Amino acid sequence: MTTRRTPIRSQATSEDQPVTTLELFFDLVFVFALTQITALMAHDLTWSGVIRGVLLIGLLWWSWIGFSWLCNLVKADEGSVRGVVMAAMGAMFVIALAIPEAFHDLDGGLPGPVVIAIAYFTFRALHLWLFWLIADGDKVLRRTLARFAPSMLAGTALLLVASQFHGTTQTLLWGAALAADYGGTYLIDARGWRLRSAAHFAERHGLIIIIALGESIVAIGVGVTDLPISWPILVASLLGLIVSSAMWWIYFDATVHYGEQALASEPVETRATLGRDAYTFMHFPMVAGIVLLALGLKKVLEYVGDTEHHQLDDPLKGIGLYALFFGIVLYLLGHVGFKWRTTHRLGISRLITAALCVIALPLVGKVPALGQLAVLAVLLIGLVAFESVRFAQEREALKHGHST
């Protein structure tokens, strides 16, 4: 493979490009940031706190997604690109460190909201600058980047404006910033982007799902860090692991395969559009759902383990309960949208399971927290069991490439 002749030293990816270790290293900062967001929402367990947590997830997702596209064109660990990627990691790490002060600045030190706004602008500027350099000679891509820049600038400017306000106004400005960034990207003709390796793109997003699921596992442990081990804690932890495992199965048993195949078989002219819709946009509710689930699991473990403040028969209430069930609903709806966009088929079983979660929510309102988690686990086990039997032959062919 030859080195690209661009204003920056880089090496083009191949069609079968695997994910590099530098990209995985980059993701470690992302998982730290997700942990910070879960802790922030747990500390401010209000609807306003949850909305702000989701806005932060959106900010981080849009940061991460930019380099998933860029590193599909050039190898992250070759030439000068790795230096820019590491500099971007530094900017994301600053964002992660400042998350506890994203909306409420603490006394002393630097102003947290301003730090986040500046770090986010730095991150996005590095991404756009590197993309512009590697697009040397590709007039269509450079024209697309020029159209992309205003929405990026509008989003980061609104974040800086938001840092000067508090309360509802600040939250609304954050929402406007993300709307400008996401909306501007969606309105741009996606055919101007480039997506060289379907395998790399699908693997990259699969790995970020693993990273997010890791946060749900971490939430189980963090929820009982200072509590003595007990049978209720063991049972709740195992139920939480079952829920996380079911979510892994839902994605990696089939979704990852039909997504990659659809992307690989899509004509080059429209592949970027499919990648934007199915991966950039449809994976966001999956990641957000996992983080909300992590918040719910954290609260369940507190309820069953902290005997000083809770009884074992206390039900999880309010936002903690909604996060537990609607985290799964959001995750499943992301899958339904992804399947429809990639295969033009409706994921009926997952849609029904999401509906059952919504129906179950008011019915388990007075059930002990451990029982509420058990109900959620049973619903997901039922989905996994049904799809394992109903689509066994289809999935065997999908994963191993032979006809049924």
Side-chain angles (χ1 to χ4, degrees):
M1 187 181 297
T2 58
T3 301
R4 289 170 55 92
R5 292 182 178 180
T6 65
I8 190 171
R9 289 190 301 112
S10 62
Q11 190 173 88
T13 56
S14 60
E15 290 187 5
D16 59 350
Q17 175 68 40
V19 173
T20 64
T21 55
L22 181 55
E23 289 170 282
L24 294 175
F25 187 44
F26 181 93
D27 289 350
L28 295 179
V29 180
F30 187 81
V31 73
F32 169 59
L34 292 183
T35 303
Q36 290 277 77
I37 293 172
T38 304
L40 180 68
M41 289 192 292
H43 178 72
D44 182 16
L45 201 61
T46 62
W47 288 115
S48 175
V50 170
I51 290 170
R52 290 175 168 184
V54 172
L55 289 172
L56 278 164
I57 298 168
L59 184 81
L60 289 168
W61 177 251
W62 217 237
S63 303
W64 180 88
I65 205 74
F67 276 87
S68 73
W69 282 86
L70 193 151
C71 294
N72 191 263
L73 298 182
V74 291
K75 295 186 69 175
D77 58 353
E78 295 286 348
S80 305
V81 175
R82 58 185 167 187
V84 180
V85 171
M86 291 182 123
M89 279 177 61
M92 181 179 277
F93 192 60
V94 170
I95 294 173
L97 288 172
I99 281 174
E101 298 182 70
F103 297 94
H104 297 290
D105 189 36
L106 301 178
D107 293 334
L110 299 172
V114 175
V115 169
I116 285 184
I118 292 175
Y120 183 63
F121 174 78
T122 302
F123 185 97
R124 298 299 304 279
L126 285 168
H127 167 254
L128 190 61
W129 172 69
L130 181 57
F131 225 137
W132 183 266
L133 292 181
I134 68 171
D136 184 48
D138 188 336
K139 293 182 179 179
V140 175
L141 180 55
R142 280 203 164 178
R143 186 163 58 247
T144 302
L145 288 167
R147 292 172 178 170
F148 171 74
S151 64
M152 184 273 282
L153 292 171
T156 52
L158 281 169
L159 277 184
L160 193 57
V161 173
S163 69
Q164 305 304 304
F165 292 87
H166 303 280
T168 302
T169 301
Q170 184 186 30
T171 303
L172 290 174
L173 285 169
W174 264 72
L178 293 186
D181 231 345
Y182 279 61
T185 301
Y186 187 79
L187 292 174
I188 295 171
D189 187 354
R191 290 174 297 181
W193 297 110
R194 301 288 180 259
L195 204 164
R196 180 173 291 121
S197 173
H200 175 273
F201 205 67
E203 183 185 6
R204 196 78 187 87
H205 286 76
L207 289 171
I208 208 61
I209 293 295
I210 285 286
I211 289 288
L213 286 173
E215 164 56 13
S216 69
I217 302 296
V218 169
I220 295 172
V222 170
V224 294
T225 299
D226 299 321
L227 302 175
I229 199 70
S230 64
W231 280 111
I233 286 177
L234 288 177
V235 173
S237 298
L238 290 174
L239 285 172
L241 183 60
I242 288 171
V243 169
S244 297
S245 299
M247 295 172 78
W248 173 90
W249 186 96
I250 289 166
Y251 189 91
F252 289 96
D253 186 64
T255 300
V256 68
H257 300 292
Y258 65 65
E260 181 180 342
Q261 287 187 13
L263 201 59
S265 61
E266 187 75 8
V268 174
E269 295 77 17
T270 54
R271 181 182 291 176
T273 303
L274 178 60
R276 179 200 65 184
D277 295 348
Y279 286 90
T280 297
F281 283 102
M282 285 301 157
H283 274 60
F284 173 63
M286 296 183 201
V287 173
I290 293 170
V291 177
L292 288 175
L293 171 75
L295 174 62
L297 290 175
K298 181 180 176 67
K299 301 311 293 184
V300 169
L301 267 295
E302 288 180 8
Y303 268 59
V304 302
D306 187 358
T307 56
E308 183 177 343
H309 298 94
H310 299 285
Q311 299 295 321
L312 190 57
D313 58 354
D314 284 349
L316 187 62
K317 298 178 181 178
I319 295 171
L321 180 60
Y322 278 95
L324 188 68
F325 277 80
F326 274 95
I328 295 296
V329 170
L330 197 56
Y331 182 73
L332 292 175
L333 291 179
H335 276 270
V336 172
F338 180 79
K339 186 171 186 177
W340 178 258
R341 185 62 182 86
T342 52
T343 68
H344 305 293
R345 293 167 60 190
L346 192 61
I348 297 294
S349 56
R350 297 180 183 191
L351 198 58
I352 290 174
T353 304
L356 289 175
C357 288
V358 175
I359 293 169
L361 188 59
L363 300 179
V364 300
K366 295 183 179 180
V367 175
L370 197 57
Q372 293 168 336
L373 180 56
V375 169
L376 189 62
V378 168
L379 287 172
L380 291 179
I381 290 171
L383 173 63
V384 167
F386 171 78
E387 292 190 349
S388 294
V389 175
R390 175 65 179 80
F391 303 110
Q393 289 186 331
E394 179 183 335
R395 291 184 172 193
E396 183 69 17
L398 184 66
K399 290 188 285 187
H400 301 292
H402 52 264
S403 60
T404 57

